[in-house]
Amino acid sequence: MENREHQDREKTLIVDPRQTNLTQENVQIIEWEDFEHELARLWSLTSALKEANERKQSLQEKLRSFIQVKTESLNRMNELEEMRERLVARKVMMENMSVHCKVAAEDAKKQEEMLSTEVRSLVVAGTSLSVARKRLQESNRILNEERDYIKLKNLLRKLRARQQYKISQVSLLYPVKILVGPSQAQELESYPSSSKLGNSSVSKPINRGTLTILGLHLTMLPFTKMSFFTDKKEVQKSASALGYVAHAVSLIASCLQVPLRYPLRLGGTRSYVIDNVPPVEPTASDLSWNTTLSVAVKPVEFPLFLDGQDTTRAAYAAFLLSKDIEQLLNFIGVDSLGPRHILANLKELLRLVQSSQFIGT
């Protein structure tokens, strides 16, 4: 160790020639006795310098890290400042937006109030419109009904005009006229003085003229009493007159489209009136569940002529024929004079159908 230290000391004493030239002026001569002391001092200085360099390097590193931290802190502060400025800008923007929102909310509230007022107005207008629409529909319905009524009335007038024309042809085919002359006791009818059929008390038969159909009378004698001395011609005339009346009534009912309550089977002087009502009421035993309920009831035919010595069936047939004429009179809204006034009722029926009131009603 001492040899190595000695060699190190000799190396340290060897000086570079170039450096010797530079430091010749500062050369200091050291005595050998002081050499060790000086060498120890230099060694301590070298150690102190080395420690100082190490401290310096450590301080430089610390300073460098501190500077780096400081730089980073400054950068962070700059970033924070920028963020603060941005935050302030956003805050200002949010305040502006808040103001705009408040203004927009106030405008929306005003518009809502205006809209609410308009909605109320629309509701009132809608209600009025609905009422007006209902009135319009009602008016249209009434108008359509009036139009339909007018059309129906026109069609009814045309129909009645056609019916009137057809019945006028029936009147020409079977004319019912008044034959003025002295009345006979055998006459079944005489034309009343008043043609108003609504009042039966006024319409009493007065023998101012005898009614005929195609010039034939309806005499009462064959219907009340039949004997050996009865005039066969009168019987034949009565049957012919009733046959004419039956045919005329059938034609008029067909023109008016009225189904007769007592249908007629026409045969000229051999005509019949049909009665569909059974002459005898069924008993309780006939209606029991043990018997058949659907019993075929045969209609009864009554002749409009004298068949042998029995006058009851012919008189009943004349009565049923009078009821058919009464049915037609009731159909046009007129009352009958009674069942004994066959020709008078027929003449009144023909007169009223051919009048202008029949078309106008």
Side-chain angles (χ1 to χ4, degrees):
M1 287 291 297
E2 292 180 359
N3 293 330
R4 187 174 294 176
E5 289 178 1
H6 181 72
Q7 290 176 2
D8 291 334
R9 289 179 184 175
E10 287 180 352
K11 287 179 181 180
T12 55
L13 292 175
I14 299 171
V15 182
D16 190 2
R18 291 174 296 179
Q19 291 180 358
T20 55
N21 295 327
L22 293 174
T23 57
Q24 288 179 356
E25 296 179 356
N26 297 323
V27 174
Q28 184 179 1
I29 298 170
I30 301 173
E31 295 294 333
W32 181 256
E33 293 79 7
D34 298 328
F35 175 75
E36 289 181 0
H37 180 73
E38 189 67 24
L39 183 61
R41 187 179 66 83
L42 289 175
W43 180 256
S44 63
L45 287 176
T46 302
S47 298
L49 180 61
K50 186 177 180 180
E51 291 177 1
N53 288 330
E54 288 177 358
R55 289 181 181 179
K56 179 181 178 182
Q57 187 177 358
S58 176
L59 289 174
Q60 285 178 353
E61 291 178 359
K62 290 181 179 181
L63 182 61
R64 190 178 296 112
S65 61
F66 177 76
I67 292 172
Q68 186 177 359
V69 171
K70 189 67 175 179
T71 303
E72 292 178 358
S73 299
L74 291 175
N75 293 332
R76 297 264 181 97
M77 290 179 65
N78 293 331
E79 291 177 358
L80 290 174
E81 186 68 21
E82 291 177 359
M83 292 177 64
R84 189 181 66 81
E85 291 177 357
R86 291 177 185 176
L87 183 61
V88 171
R90 290 188 179 181
K91 186 177 180 180
V92 173
M93 184 178 64
M94 291 295 293
E95 291 178 355
N96 294 331
M97 290 179 64
S98 177
V99 173
H100 288 300
C101 288
K102 289 181 180 180
V103 174
E106 292 178 358
D107 294 338
K109 189 175 181 179
K110 292 180 181 179
Q111 291 180 359
E112 184 180 359
E113 293 177 355
M114 294 175 62
L115 184 61
S116 177
T117 304
E118 292 179 357
V119 166
R120 286 194 295 268
S121 303
L122 286 175
V123 169
V124 174
T127 305
S128 303
L129 182 61
S130 178
V131 174
R133 184 179 179 182
K134 290 182 180 178
R135 291 179 180 175
L136 180 61
Q137 291 177 352
E138 185 69 17
S139 301
N140 290 332
R141 185 183 63 81
I142 294 174
L143 182 61
N144 292 331
E145 289 179 356
E146 290 179 355
R147 290 177 180 174
D148 294 339
Y149 175 74
I150 292 173
K151 290 180 181 178
L152 181 62
K153 194 172 183 180
N154 293 331
L155 290 175
L156 184 61
R157 287 180 179 176
K158 292 180 181 179
L159 176 63
R160 290 195 172 184
R162 184 174 296 180
Q163 291 174 346
Q164 188 181 63
Y165 173 74
K166 291 181 179 181
I167 293 175
S168 67
Q169 299 299 313
V170 176
S171 177
L172 293 176
L173 184 62
Y174 296 106
V176 180
K177 297 181 180 180
I178 301 175
L179 182 62
V180 180
S183 60
Q184 300 177 2
Q186 299 90 354
E187 292 173 355
L188 178 64
E189 299 213 12
S190 61
Y191 191 65
S193 61
S194 176
S195 61
K196 184 177 180 181
L197 301 180
N199 193 345
S200 60
S201 63
V202 179
S203 302
K204 293 181 179 180
I206 300 175
N207 294 327
R208 292 186 178 182
T210 303
L211 291 173
T212 62
I213 179 169
L214 281 178
L216 298 179
H217 299 276
L218 282 177
T219 57
M220 182 185 298
L221 185 60
F223 291 93
T224 57
K225 184 177 181 181
M226 185 69 180
S227 66
F228 180 78
F229 299 100
T230 302
D231 190 359
K232 302 298 182 183
K233 292 184 179 179
E234 293 295 330
V235 174
Q236 187 67 26
K237 287 181 182 179
S238 176
S240 298
L242 288 175
Y244 295 156
V245 173
H247 192 201
V249 169
S250 177
L251 292 175
I252 294 172
S254 177
C255 293
L256 296 178
Q257 297 179 352
V258 177
L260 292 175
R261 185 178 294 109
Y262 303 104
L264 301 171
R265 185 166 68 85
L266 302 176
T269 59
R270 296 287 177 175
S271 300
Y272 292 86
V273 182
I274 302 173
D275 188 5
N276 293 316
V277 180
V280 180
E281 294 293 333
T283 60
S285 61
D286 295 333
L287 298 178
S288 62
W289 294 101
N290 297 326
T291 60
T292 305
L293 293 178
S294 59
V295 178
V297 179
K298 294 183 179 180
V300 181
E301 295 184 351
F302 295 93
L304 288 170
F305 56 90
L306 291 175
D307 188 8
Q309 298 295 324
D310 189 7
T311 61
T312 304
R313 291 173 61 84
Y316 187 68
F319 172 76
L320 295 181
L321 180 62
S322 177
K323 298 300 289 183
D324 284 341
I325 300 174
E326 181 181 357
Q327 179 186 357
L328 296 176
L329 285 171
N330 293 334
F331 177 75
I332 63 174
V334 182
D335 294 332
S336 173
L337 287 171
R340 293 179 57 84
H341 303 283
I342 295 178
L343 290 182
N345 288 330
L346 180 60
K347 182 174 180 60
E348 187 69 9
L349 176 63
L350 293 172
R351 185 188 69 81
L352 290 174
V353 170
Q354 295 180 77
S355 65
S356 60
Q357 296 179 355
F358 178 73
I359 299 177
T361 56

